[in-house]
Amino acid sequence: MERVAIFPGSFDPFTVGHESIVKRAIPLFDKIVIMIGYNANKRSFFPVEKRLKWIREVFKDESKVTVESHEGLTVDFCKKVNAQYILRGLRTSADFEFERAIAQVNKKMHPKIESVFLLTMPEHTPINSTIVRDIIFHGGDASQFLPASLNMSEFKLDE
Ligand code: ADP
């Protein structure tokens, strides 16, 4: 059976930390579906269409990686795409506590699912989407925190 993992997140925006987790997971799975989770009632920084476009651009040469958006429970998306694994990244002990609860609840809801965690590369530990959003919002240069294959000029606001 194909080993299919999903990598769920808001990715608002997708950072070098996210990119690194996906790239390191490619040898472990037959297919990775990056799932942009969204809530139509919650305002995001970048529209989901832009996030889809950017992440697809990053992995355009990786045949194992696809990108989709989903509103609703992560376990329902797993069923939809026949995934057996949920991939997540761990930066800190705070991440661990948060992820532990989510993974244990997901396992209760969908017992066939296994959550798989990769520890962040040390240089990516302090990077999170909130900080990157703040840099962009205040007109700073966030390029070192964003995937190198993306053109920074796209990350302007109000487009
Ligand atoms: P969420 O909204 O679910 O927290 P995020 O977009 O913030 O989603 O993150 C998605 C996944 O990527 C999470 O597992 C998170 O821990 C992981 N992640 C976020 N930033 C990094 C990073 N710098 N290095 C490694 N993993 C990261």
Side-chain angles (χ1 to χ4, degrees):
M1 195 168 53
E2 260 201 328
R3 286 161 306 163
V4 181
I6 67 157
F7 182 48
S10 334
F11 309 122
D12 192 18
F14 194 82
T15 68
V16 282
H18 298 129
E19 180 185 21
S20 161
I21 294 289
V22 174
K23 287 198 165 157
R24 288 165 58 211
I26 287 173
L28 306 178
F29 301 104
D30 297 308
K31 206 174 143 193
I32 299 174
V33 186
I34 299 175
M35 183 205 101
I36 305 176
Y38 70 96
N39 177 342
N41 296 318
K42 259 172 103 184
R43 230 184 111 79
S44 62
F45 191 65
F46 290 112
V48 76
E49 299 73 29
K50 280 201 172 182
R51 283 179 267 161
L52 269 171
K53 177 175 162 266
W54 288 330
I55 306 173
R56 283 185 178 142
E57 176 68 23
V58 173
F59 296 103
K60 64 175 189 299
D61 298 324
E62 293 286 356
S63 56
K64 284 184 176 184
V65 180
T66 56
V67 191
E68 290 184 41
S69 59
H70 173 71
E71 183 172 26
L73 293 176
T74 303
V75 287
D76 288 338
F77 186 75
C78 290
K79 288 176 191 159
K80 185 178 156 201
V81 300
N82 283 320
Q84 312 96 317
Y85 304 99
I86 298 177
L87 172 67
R88 297 284 285 179
L90 290 179
R91 287 162 293 189
T92 60
S93 54
D95 269 0
F96 172 77
E97 282 306 327
F98 181 68
E99 296 293 339
R100 182 180 56 78
I102 296 178
Q104 289 173 337
V105 169
N106 281 338
K107 185 84 178 156
K108 282 275 180 207
M109 289 195 292
H110 188 356
K112 286 189 180 143
I113 284 287
E114 292 296 350
S115 291
V116 175
F117 302 98
L118 290 185
L119 281 180
T120 185
M121 298 301 283
E123 63 272 28
H124 294 147
T125 305
I127 302 171
N128 68 58
S129 296
T130 309
I131 293 176
V132 174
R133 276 202 299 274
D134 264 2
I135 296 171
I136 296 169
F137 181 74
H138 294 290
D141 179 3
S143 52
Q144 62 179 308
F145 308 118
L146 295 165
S149 55
L150 294 180
N151 183 347
M152 257 311 287
S153 62
E154 295 223 26
F155 286 85
K156 275 188 249 133
L157 300 169
D158 304 315
E159 260 184 82

